[in-house]
Amino acid sequence: MVTQGKLQINAEENIEDKSTGRLGCFGWLLVLISLLFITATFPVTLFMCVKIVKEYERAVIFRLGRITDRKPKGPGLFFVLPCTDTFVKVDLRTVSFDIPPQEILTRDSVTVSVDGVVYFRINCPISSVANVSNAHLSTRLLAQTTLRNVLGTKNLAELLSDREGISLSMQASLDEATDPWGIKVERVEIKDVKLPQQLQRAMAAEAEASREARAKIISAEGEMNAARALKEASLIIAESPSGLQLRYLQTLNTIAGEKNSTIIFPLPIDILQNFMKRD
C-alpha cells in the first residue's frame, strides 16, 4: 500500500511538472498579442524586454503565473515579455545570521542560555521561490527550533564539551529540513553558553575543591617518597659510622658558606647517652 501511494504521488508530480509550462489556448493568445505589441513598438519596448542579472544572481521567470523553464536564467542578459512575464531575482551568495539566545532546559534539568550562528545559501532558486514564501525567514525560525530540539537531548557536560558534535547534528537536521526549499546549510556554530550565576559559583567551588584534593595527594606522595629516601640514607649511614661525621662536617661547611652569625654544632646522641648514664 505504501509503495502504491508513493508511485501515485510520483505520477501526480510528473503530470504536474509536464503541465507546468503549458499555457493553454488563451495563454498562447496573450503571448502572441504581447509579441505583436513588441514588434509594433520596436525598438522602444526593447528596454522593457532586456533584463540583466549579476554573476551571483539568478532569475526565475513566471509567464502568466507559471514557471516557464525548470532552469533559472542568468547570469547576464535574458529576455522577458513585458505584458505576460514577471521574474524574481534570487541571490546565491552565502548568508549568515545569528540565532538569538535561547533559554533551554537540558536533559539533566539545567537551564542555560545558548546562541549560535548559521551559514547557508540557496542552491535551487526555483524551489526557494515556488516552495516557500520567505526562504530566509523560514530558515531563521527553523534554526531556533532545531537548536532547542537538539540541545534538549543533551546534558550539561555534553553541551560544554561536545560543541562540534552538536554543531554537526544541527547542520544535518537543518540541511535535511530545508532541502525542499532549495537551501543548503553550510555551517552551524554554537557561539556562547551562558550558565546561571549560582551554577557558575557551584562549579567554581567544585573545581577548587578538586584542585585542593589533588594538591594534598601530590604533597602526601612527595612526603612518602622523601621518607623512603631518608630511610634508605639512614640504612647506608648505619653501615658506616664515619659517614655520619662526614655529614656533620658537610652541614657545617654549608652553614659557614652562607655567612651566618649563628652556628649550630651538632652533637652525637651517643655522647649525651653516656652522660645520662653517669648521672
Coordinates of all heavy atoms in Angstrom, one line a residue, residues 84-138:
T84 N 3.3 39.8 -20.2 CA 2.9 38.5 -19.6 C 3.9 37.9 -18.7 O 3.6 37.0 -17.9 CB 2.7 37.5 -20.8 OG1 3.9 37.3 -21.5 CG2 1.6 37.9 -21.7
D85 N 5.1 38.4 -18.7 CA 6.2 37.8 -17.9 C 6.5 38.6 -16.7 O 6.5 39.9 -16.7 CB 7.5 37.6 -18.7 CG 7.3 36.5 -19.8 OD1 6.2 35.9 -19.8 OD2 8.2 36.3 -20.5
T86 N 6.8 38.0 -15.6 CA 7.4 38.6 -14.4 C 8.5 37.7 -13.9 O 8.5 36.5 -14.2 CB 6.3 38.7 -13.2 OG1 5.8 37.4 -12.9 CG2 5.2 39.6 -13.6
F87 N 9.4 38.3 -13.2 CA 10.6 37.5 -12.7 C 11.0 37.9 -11.3 O 10.7 39.0 -10.8 CB 11.8 37.6 -13.7 CG 12.4 39.0 -13.7 CD1 13.5 39.2 -12.9 CD2 11.9 40.0 -14.4 CE1 14.1 40.5 -12.9 CE2 12.5 41.2 -14.4 CZ 13.6 41.5 -13.7
V88 N 11.6 36.9 -10.6 CA 12.1 37.1 -9.3 C 13.6 36.9 -9.2 O 14.0 35.8 -9.7 CB 11.3 36.2 -8.3 CG1 11.9 36.4 -6.9 CG2 9.8 36.4 -8.3
K89 N 14.3 37.8 -8.7 CA 15.8 37.6 -8.6 C 16.1 36.9 -7.3 O 15.5 37.1 -6.2 CB 16.5 39.0 -8.5 CG 16.5 39.7 -9.9 CD 17.4 41.0 -9.8 CE 17.4 41.7 -11.1 NZ 18.3 42.9 -11.0
V90 N 17.0 36.0 -7.4 CA 17.4 35.2 -6.2 C 18.9 35.3 -6.0 O 19.7 35.1 -7.0 CB 17.1 33.7 -6.4 CG1 17.5 32.9 -5.2 CG2 15.6 33.5 -6.6
D91 N 19.3 35.6 -4.8 CA 20.8 35.8 -4.5 C 21.3 34.5 -4.1 O 20.8 33.8 -3.2 CB 20.9 36.8 -3.4 CG 22.4 37.3 -3.3 OD1 23.3 36.6 -3.6 OD2 22.6 38.5 -2.8
L92 N 22.4 34.0 -4.8 CA 23.1 32.7 -4.5 C 24.2 32.8 -3.5 O 24.8 31.8 -3.2 CB 23.6 32.1 -5.8 CG 22.5 31.9 -6.9 CD1 23.2 31.2 -8.1 CD2 21.3 31.1 -6.3
R93 N 24.5 34.0 -3.0 CA 25.7 34.1 -2.1 C 25.3 33.5 -0.7 O 24.2 33.5 -0.3 CB 26.1 35.6 -1.9 CG 26.6 36.2 -3.2 CD 27.0 37.7 -3.0 NE 25.7 38.5 -2.8 CZ 25.7 39.8 -2.7 NH1 26.9 40.4 -2.7 NH2 24.6 40.4 -2.5
T94 N 26.4 33.2 0.0 CA 26.2 32.6 1.4 C 25.7 33.7 2.3 O 26.3 34.8 2.3 CB 27.5 32.0 1.9 OG1 27.9 31.0 1.0 CG2 27.4 31.5 3.3
V95 N 24.7 33.4 3.1 CA 24.1 34.3 4.0 C 24.3 33.8 5.5 O 24.2 32.6 5.7 CB 22.6 34.5 3.8 CG1 22.0 35.5 4.8 CG2 22.4 35.0 2.4
S96 N 24.7 34.6 6.4 CA 24.9 34.3 7.8 C 23.9 35.1 8.6 O 23.6 36.2 8.3 CB 26.3 34.5 8.2 OG 26.6 35.9 8.2
F97 N 23.5 34.4 9.7 CA 22.6 35.1 10.7 C 22.8 34.5 12.0 O 23.2 33.4 12.2 CB 21.1 35.0 10.3 CG 20.6 33.6 10.3 CD1 20.0 33.1 11.5 CD2 20.6 32.8 9.2 CE1 19.5 31.8 11.5 CE2 20.1 31.5 9.2 CZ 19.5 31.0 10.4
D98 N 22.6 35.4 13.0 CA 22.7 34.9 14.4 C 21.4 34.3 15.0 O 20.3 34.9 14.7 CB 23.1 36.1 15.3 CG 24.5 36.6 15.0 OD1 25.4 35.8 14.6 OD2 24.8 37.8 15.1
I99 N 21.6 33.2 15.7 CA 20.4 32.7 16.4 C 20.3 33.4 17.7 O 21.2 33.4 18.5 CB 20.6 31.2 16.6 CG1 20.8 30.4 15.3 CG2 19.4 30.6 17.3 CD1 21.1 29.0 15.4
P100 N 19.2 34.0 18.0 CA 19.0 34.7 19.3 C 19.2 33.8 20.4 O 19.0 32.6 20.3 CB 17.6 35.3 19.2 CG 17.2 35.3 17.7 CD 18.0 34.1 17.2
P101 N 19.7 34.3 21.6 CA 19.8 33.5 22.8 C 18.5 32.8 23.1 O 17.5 33.4 23.3 CB 20.3 34.5 23.9 CG 20.9 35.6 23.1 CD 20.1 35.7 21.8
Q102 N 18.7 31.4 23.3 CA 17.5 30.6 23.6 C 17.7 30.0 25.0 O 18.7 29.5 25.3 CB 17.4 29.5 22.6 CG 17.3 29.9 21.1 CD 16.0 30.6 20.8 OE1 14.9 30.2 21.2 NE2 16.1 31.8 20.1
E103 N 16.6 30.2 25.8 CA 16.6 29.5 27.2 C 16.2 28.1 27.0 O 15.1 27.8 26.6 CB 15.6 30.2 28.1 CG 16.0 31.7 28.4 CD 17.2 31.8 29.3 OE1 17.4 30.8 30.1 OE2 17.8 32.8 29.4
I104 N 17.1 27.2 27.3 CA 17.0 25.8 27.0 C 17.1 25.0 28.3 O 18.0 25.3 29.1 CB 18.0 25.3 26.0 CG1 17.8 26.0 24.7 CG2 17.9 23.8 25.8 CD1 18.9 25.8 23.7
L105 N 16.3 24.0 28.5 CA 16.4 23.1 29.6 C 17.0 21.8 29.2 O 16.5 21.1 28.3 CB 15.0 22.8 30.2 CG 14.9 21.9 31.5 CD1 15.6 22.6 32.6 CD2 13.5 21.5 31.8
T106 N 18.2 21.5 29.7 CA 19.0 20.3 29.3 C 18.3 19.1 29.8 O 17.4 19.1 30.6 CB 20.4 20.4 29.7 OG1 20.5 20.5 31.2 CG2 21.1 21.7 29.2
R107 N 18.9 17.9 29.4 CA 18.4 16.6 29.8 C 18.5 16.4 31.3 O 17.7 15.7 31.9 CB 19.1 15.5 29.1 CG 18.4 14.1 29.3 CD 19.0 13.1 28.3 NE 20.5 13.0 28.6 CZ 21.3 12.2 27.9 NH1 20.8 11.5 26.9 NH2 22.6 12.1 28.1
D108 N 19.5 17.0 32.0 CA 19.7 16.9 33.4 C 19.1 18.1 34.2 O 19.6 18.4 35.3 CB 21.2 16.7 33.8 CG 22.1 17.8 33.1 OD1 21.5 18.6 32.3 OD2 23.3 17.8 33.4
S109 N 18.1 18.7 33.6 CA 17.3 19.8 34.2 C 18.1 21.0 34.6 O 18.0 21.5 35.7 CB 16.6 19.2 35.4 OG 15.7 18.1 35.1
V110 N 19.0 21.5 33.7 CA 19.7 22.7 34.0 C 19.3 23.7 32.9 O 19.3 23.4 31.7 CB 21.3 22.4 33.9 CG1 22.0 23.7 34.1 CG2 21.7 21.4 35.0
T111 N 19.0 24.9 33.3 CA 18.6 26.0 32.4 C 19.8 26.7 32.0 O 20.5 27.3 32.8 CB 17.6 26.9 33.1 OG1 16.4 26.1 33.5 CG2 17.1 27.9 32.1
V112 N 20.0 26.8 30.7 CA 21.1 27.5 30.1 C 20.6 28.4 28.9 O 19.5 28.1 28.4 CB 22.2 26.6 29.6 CG1 22.9 25.8 30.7 CG2 21.7 25.6 28.5
S113 N 21.4 29.4 28.6 CA 21.1 30.3 27.5 C 22.2 30.1 26.4 O 23.4 30.3 26.7 CB 21.1 31.8 28.0 OG 20.8 32.6 26.9
V114 N 21.7 29.7 25.2 CA 22.6 29.3 24.2 C 22.3 30.1 22.9 O 21.1 30.3 22.6 CB 22.6 27.8 23.8 CG1 23.6 27.5 22.8 CG2 22.8 27.0 25.1
D115 N 23.3 30.6 22.2 CA 23.1 31.3 20.9 C 24.1 30.7 19.9 O 25.1 30.0 20.3 CB 23.2 32.8 21.0 CG 24.6 33.2 21.6 OD1 25.4 32.4 22.0 OD2 24.9 34.4 21.6
G116 N 23.9 31.0 18.7 CA 24.7 30.4 17.6 C 24.7 31.2 16.4 O 24.0 32.3 16.3
V117 N 25.3 30.7 15.3 CA 25.3 31.4 14.0 C 25.2 30.3 13.0 O 25.7 29.2 13.1 CB 26.6 32.2 13.8 CG1 27.9 31.3 13.9 CG2 26.6 32.9 12.5
V118 N 24.5 30.6 11.9 CA 24.2 29.7 10.8 C 24.6 30.3 9.5 O 24.4 31.5 9.2 CB 22.7 29.3 10.7 CG1 22.4 28.4 9.6 CG2 22.2 28.7 12.0
Y119 N 25.3 29.5 8.6 CA 25.7 30.0 7.3 C 24.9 29.1 6.3 O 25.0 27.8 6.4 CB 27.2 29.8 7.1 CG 28.0 30.6 8.0 CD1 28.4 30.1 9.3 CD2 28.5 31.9 7.7 CE1 29.1 30.9 10.2 CE2 29.2 32.7 8.6 CZ 29.5 32.1 9.8 OH 30.3 32.9 10.7
F120 N 24.2 29.7 5.3 CA 23.5 28.9 4.3 C 23.5 29.7 3.0 O 23.8 30.9 3.0 CB 22.1 28.6 4.8 CG 21.2 29.9 4.8 CD1 20.3 30.1 3.7 CD2 21.2 30.7 5.9 CE1 19.5 31.2 3.7 CE2 20.3 31.8 5.9 CZ 19.5 32.1 4.8
R121 N 23.1 29.0 2.0 CA 23.0 29.6 0.7 C 21.9 28.9 -0.1 O 21.4 27.8 0.3 CB 24.3 29.5 -0.1 CG 24.7 28.1 -0.4 CD 26.0 28.0 -1.2 NE 26.5 26.7 -1.3 CZ 26.2 25.8 -2.2 NH1 25.2 26.2 -3.1 NH2 26.7 24.6 -2.3
I122 N 21.4 29.5 -1.1 CA 20.3 29.0 -2.0 C 21.0 28.2 -3.1 O 21.8 28.8 -3.9 CB 19.4 30.1 -2.5 CG1 18.6 30.7 -1.3 CG2 18.4 29.5 -3.5 CD1 17.7 31.8 -1.7
N123 N 20.7 26.9 -3.2 CA 21.3 26.1 -4.3 C 20.3 25.8 -5.4 O 20.7 25.3 -6.5 CB 22.0 24.9 -3.8 CG 21.0 23.9 -3.2 OD1 19.8 24.3 -2.9 ND2 21.4 22.7 -2.9
C124 N 19.0 26.0 -5.2 CA 18.0 25.8 -6.2 C 17.0 27.0 -6.2 O 16.1 27.1 -5.3 CB 17.2 24.5 -5.9 SG 16.0 24.1 -7.1
P125 N 17.2 28.0 -7.0 CA 16.4 29.2 -7.0 C 14.9 28.9 -7.2 O 14.1 29.6 -6.6 CB 17.0 30.0 -8.1 CG 18.4 29.5 -8.3 CD 18.3 28.1 -8.0
I126 N 14.6 28.0 -8.1 CA 13.2 27.7 -8.3 C 12.5 27.2 -7.1 O 11.4 27.6 -6.8 CB 13.1 26.7 -9.5 CG1 13.6 27.4 -10.8 CG2 11.6 26.3 -9.7 CD1 13.5 26.5 -12.0
S127 N 13.1 26.2 -6.4 CA 12.5 25.7 -5.2 C 12.3 26.8 -4.1 O 11.4 26.8 -3.4 CB 13.3 24.5 -4.7 OG 13.4 23.5 -5.6
S128 N 13.3 27.7 -4.0 CA 13.3 28.7 -3.0 C 12.2 29.7 -3.2 O 11.7 30.4 -2.3 CB 14.6 29.4 -2.9 OG 14.9 30.1 -4.1
V129 N 11.8 29.8 -4.5 CA 10.7 30.8 -4.9 C 9.3 30.1 -4.9 O 8.3 30.7 -4.4 CB 11.0 31.4 -6.2 CG1 9.8 32.3 -6.7 CG2 12.2 32.3 -6.2
A130 N 9.3 28.9 -5.4 CA 8.0 28.2 -5.6 C 7.5 27.4 -4.3 O 6.3 27.3 -4.2 CB 8.1 27.3 -6.8
N131 N 8.4 27.0 -3.5 CA 8.1 26.1 -2.4 C 7.9 26.7 -1.0 O 7.4 26.1 -0.1 CB 9.1 24.9 -2.3 CG 9.1 24.0 -3.5 OD1 8.2 24.1 -4.3 ND2 10.1 23.2 -3.6
V132 N 8.4 28.0 -0.9 CA 8.3 28.6 0.4 C 8.2 30.1 0.1 O 8.7 30.7 -0.8 CB 9.6 28.3 1.2 CG1 10.8 28.9 0.6 CG2 9.4 28.9 2.6
S133 N 7.4 30.8 1.0 CA 7.1 32.2 0.7 C 8.3 33.1 1.1 O 8.6 34.1 0.4 CB 5.9 32.6 1.6 OG 6.1 32.5 2.9
N134 N 9.0 32.7 2.1 CA 10.2 33.5 2.5 C 11.3 32.6 3.0 O 11.2 32.1 4.2 CB 9.8 34.6 3.6 CG 11.0 35.6 3.8 OD1 12.1 35.3 3.6 ND2 10.6 36.8 4.2
A135 N 12.2 32.2 2.1 CA 13.2 31.2 2.5 C 14.1 31.6 3.6 O 14.4 30.8 4.5 CB 14.0 30.8 1.2
H136 N 14.5 32.9 3.6 CA 15.4 33.3 4.7 C 14.7 33.3 6.0 O 15.3 32.9 7.0 CB 15.9 34.7 4.3 CG 16.8 34.8 3.1 ND1 18.2 34.9 3.2 CD2 16.6 34.6 1.8 CE1 18.7 34.9 2.0 NE2 17.7 34.7 1.1
L137 N 13.5 33.9 6.1 CA 12.8 33.9 7.4 C 12.5 32.5 7.9 O 12.6 32.2 9.1 CB 11.6 34.8 7.3 CG 10.7 34.9 8.5 CD1 11.5 35.6 9.6 CD2 9.4 35.7 8.2
S138 N 12.1 31.7 7.0 CA 11.8 30.3 7.4 C 13.0 29.6 7.9 O 12.9 28.8 8.9 CB 11.2 29.5 6.2 OG 10.0 30.2 5.7

